[in-house]
Amino acid sequence: MKGAAIRELHPYLGSGAVPAASAGKCGCLRLGFELDGRGRSIMRDLERRAPLIVQQELYFDEEMPEMPCVYILSSGGPNVDGDRYEQCFTVRRNAFAHISTGAATKLAEMRCDYSGMKQHFELEEGAYLEYLPEPTIPCRHTRFACETTIRIAESATLFYSEIYTSGRRYFRDERFAYDLLSVSTAAERPSGRRLFRERFVIEPSRGGVESRGVMSGFEIFGNAVVLAPPASVDAIYARTDAFIDRERGLAAGVTRLPDDCGLSLRVLGRETEQVKHLMREFCSTVRMTVKGKPLFREFPWR
């Protein structure tokens, strides 16, 4: 990720004690999934560079025992200034997979530079992928930029999600004390035709984050994007409710993406577990619609 191309990162491009992208600070992960001769999806390709780690796919989903479930781990602790990570996921024709992370992503306090993540998703005809990572926790004076690009065939389905907390809520008043979150997502067809692009930039020091129409008293932000064939999009939309529940401290809204290519779900909450639960319910709705099976229950220790 080239920070010089992102305007809001310009104040944070100074050099630190360890230069950006030095050894141990430039993690890379490439995963590729395809069907084997028995109709089971397998992880055919695996390339990794520390601190990002994937060991092997697991088949524990009783509803879909042929689906590989992969957990991304990190050996480097929290993300610090100068870290640059890249993740590339390819799901080939009619293959399917579930990807998550082993724990929440912590963004440590930063004194110079920023931490960057670049992600690319490639889904071929009939492919199906669920990307449901644990939340991202930005500490005081964190600067984080995430750029996600998606190339997806018209008959494929992608569930992509992300959750951002307000910080370490019970640690020295770190509620919305980070410097910057810059997050962008863009999707296109294999032909190059653009589907949509969205980008949000959050700088709490400039104010407005907790105002009405933004967070308005909520502390957790969840974002999910579903790209699927139009018939599936219509069915998922019909089964998804928008609401504001002040008693539970939870709100959700769903909107259609351009050209009926998919849906976007936004969730606000006061507790991380509430937002995670709602995102998993939405993912289960997507899987039931496309695959006829519910999402597996979350492990009690997560």
Side-chain angles (χ1 to χ4, degrees):
M1 176 178 294
K2 296 182 179 180
I6 304 177
R7 183 176 57 184
E8 59 269 19
L9 291 176
H10 288 181
Y12 309 112
L13 294 180
S15 60
V18 180
S22 298
K25 297 180 69 63
C26 189
C28 179
L29 178 64
R30 300 180 189 275
L31 303 180
F33 300 89
E34 65 179 45
L35 292 181
D36 64 9
R38 299 174 294 173
R40 186 176 74 159
S41 186
I42 61 173
M43 186 169 64
R44 175 67 74 184
D45 305 317
L46 170 58
E47 179 183 347
R48 65 191 185 191
R49 182 166 62 204
L52 295 179
I53 297 173
V54 163
Q55 295 175 319
Q56 67 179 53
E57 70 271 50
L58 304 173
Y59 294 90
F60 56 74
D61 190 340
E62 295 182 358
E63 294 288 344
M64 293 189 67
E66 70 280 10
M67 170 176 275
C69 301
V70 175
Y71 287 89
I72 302 171
L73 309 176
S74 175
S75 63
N79 293 28
V80 299
D81 36 359
D83 283 352
R84 302 289 190 268
Y85 296 150
E86 181 176 358
Q87 299 182 154
C88 296
F89 308 111
T90 301
V91 187
R92 299 186 178 91
R93 188 178 184 88
N94 295 326
F96 40 88
H98 174 94
I99 300 176
S100 185
T101 54
T105 298
K106 287 87 172 178
L107 307 175
E109 182 172 349
M110 301 177 186
R111 300 182 179 179
C112 56
D113 210 272
Y114 70 99
S115 174
M117 167 71 82
K118 191 172 184 178
Q119 302 181 121
H120 180 69
F121 294 82
E122 182 94 22
L123 276 74
E124 298 181 359
E125 294 289 341
Y128 177 86
L129 177 63
E130 298 168 350
Y131 183 70
L132 197 65
E134 288 292 294
T136 297
I137 305 173
C139 299
R140 185 187 306 274
H141 295 309
T142 284
R143 305 96 184 229
F144 181 65
C146 181
E147 180 183 355
T148 300
T149 57
I150 301 166
R151 182 173 296 150
I152 182 170
E154 294 186 15
S155 60
T157 300
L158 170 66
F159 177 90
Y160 171 84
S161 66
E162 54 197 353
I163 298 175
Y164 292 94
T165 75
S166 61
R168 294 182 295 182
R169 299 168 58 198
Y170 306 108
F171 185 81
R172 299 178 186 175
D173 192 25
E174 284 197 359
R175 188 172 178 269
F176 296 113
Y178 52 84
D179 291 337
L180 171 71
L181 289 181
S182 175
V183 181
S184 67
T185 306
E188 65 179 20
R189 294 299 185 199
S191 63
R193 181 170 66 90
R194 294 183 179 181
L195 298 177
F196 76 93
R197 179 179 179 84
E198 69 170 2
R199 182 164 174 261
F200 61 85
V201 178
I202 305 174
E203 297 178 274
S205 64
R206 295 194 174 188
V209 175
E210 300 187 68
S211 63
R212 186 178 299 275
V214 187
M215 294 302 289
S216 187
F218 295 101
E219 299 190 24
I220 315 298
F221 170 66
N223 179 44
V225 172
V226 175
L227 300 176
S232 296
V233 170
D234 291 341
I236 296 167
Y237 184 82
R239 298 173 185 174
T240 306
D241 296 325
F243 65 89
I244 299 177
D245 189 334
R246 289 292 180 181
E247 291 187 5
R248 289 195 297 161
L250 196 63
V254 61
T255 185
R256 292 179 180 270
L257 295 173
D259 296 329
D260 289 328
C261 70
L263 302 170
S264 175
L265 178 78
R266 304 294 171 88
V267 181
L268 297 178
R270 296 197 185 101
E271 300 293 336
T272 304
E273 290 304 316
Q274 291 177 312
V275 176
K276 285 177 57 179
H277 179 71
L278 194 58
M279 299 288 268
R280 288 184 63 84
E281 283 188 339
F282 186 51
C283 184
S284 189
T285 298
V286 173
R287 188 191 285 195
M288 281 293 297
T289 302
V290 178
K291 293 295 185 180
K293 303 287 185 180
L295 185 68
F296 59 89
R297 290 187 177 182
E298 181 66 288
F299 296 117
W301 56 83
R302 282 173 62 81

